[in-house]
């Protein structure tokens, strides 16, 4: 689907095509907690980097962070975080892992388009969760102490939700 996003002050606007627009993956790691400004969590979706159009690129700042705590079968990677230098809104991330350069990972929080509601949720990096945060429980909520190597692409494809374009 086509997604449009923006920062709080409006200096930066972006659009992209996302074949994987369900923000099912809620991350409780230190990076998401410190930068997200929400309830100690963050969620990214996946979009085609070649489709990304950014207005106000001169307002973008970047910060290279270590990845989420690596999980089983997940090597540590560097993530380039892109944010608005005026208002501080986090906008999208690039993974510097080999093989991921076709993709950009917008924060669900930066998207203004209504995203679809996931049929089930992954709660990842719960080992780094803030003590005052409770992850939702129930059959539609899978819990992971660390990250999970299952890709955003696989989650969507397994559920018939991957949008080829
Ligand atoms: Zn801004
Ligand atoms: Zn995280």
């Amino acid at each position: 689907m086509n997604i449009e996003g923006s920062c709080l002050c409006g200096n930066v606007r972006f659009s992209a095509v996302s074949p994987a627009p369900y923000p099912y993956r809620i991350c409780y790691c230190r990076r998401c907690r410190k930068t997200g400004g929400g309830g100690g969590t963050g969620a990214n979706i996946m979009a085609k980097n070649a489709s990304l159009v950014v207005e106000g690129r001169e307002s973008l700042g970047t910060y290279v962070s270590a990845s989420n705590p690596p999980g089983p079968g997940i090597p540590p990677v560097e993530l380039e975080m892109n944010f608005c230098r005026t208002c501080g809104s986090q906008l999208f991330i690039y993974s510097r892992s080999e093989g991921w350069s076709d993709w950009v990972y917008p924060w669900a929080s930066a998207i203004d388009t209504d995203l679809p509601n996931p049929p089930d949720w992954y709660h990842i990096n719960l080992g780094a969760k803030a003590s005052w945060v409770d992850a939702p429980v129930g059959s539609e909520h899978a819990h992971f102490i660390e990250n999970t190597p299952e890709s955003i692409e696989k989650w969507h494809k397994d559920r018939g939700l991957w949008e080829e374009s």
Side-chain angles (χ1 to χ4, degrees), residues 5-6 32 39 42 47 50 57 67 78 99 104-105 109-110 112 114 120 122 126 137 139-140 149:
S6 62
C32 291
R57 197 175 271 281
S67 71
E78 288 185 334
V104 60
Y105 299 87
S109 55
D112 299 311
D114 281 338
D120 62 273
Y122 282 14
L126 288 168
V137 292
S139 57
E140 68 274 31

Side-chain angles (χ1 to χ4, degrees), residues 56 77 80 106 108 116 144:
V77 296
E80 183 190 292
F144 301 90

Side-chain angles (χ1 to χ4, degrees), residues 6-13 59 83-89 91:
S6 62
C7 66
L8 175 62
C9 76
N11 280 358
V12 184
R13 297 182 184 282
S59 294
F83 55 90
C84 173
R85 283 189 287 120
T86 303
C87 69
S89 297
L91 298 169

Side-chain angles (χ1 to χ4, degrees), residues 20-34:
Y22 285 74
Y24 70 94
R25 196 179 175 94
I26 310 297
C27 184
Y28 296 73
C29 81
R30 183 171 179 275
R31 178 176 56 82
C32 291
R33 175 179 162 190
K34 293 288 183 185

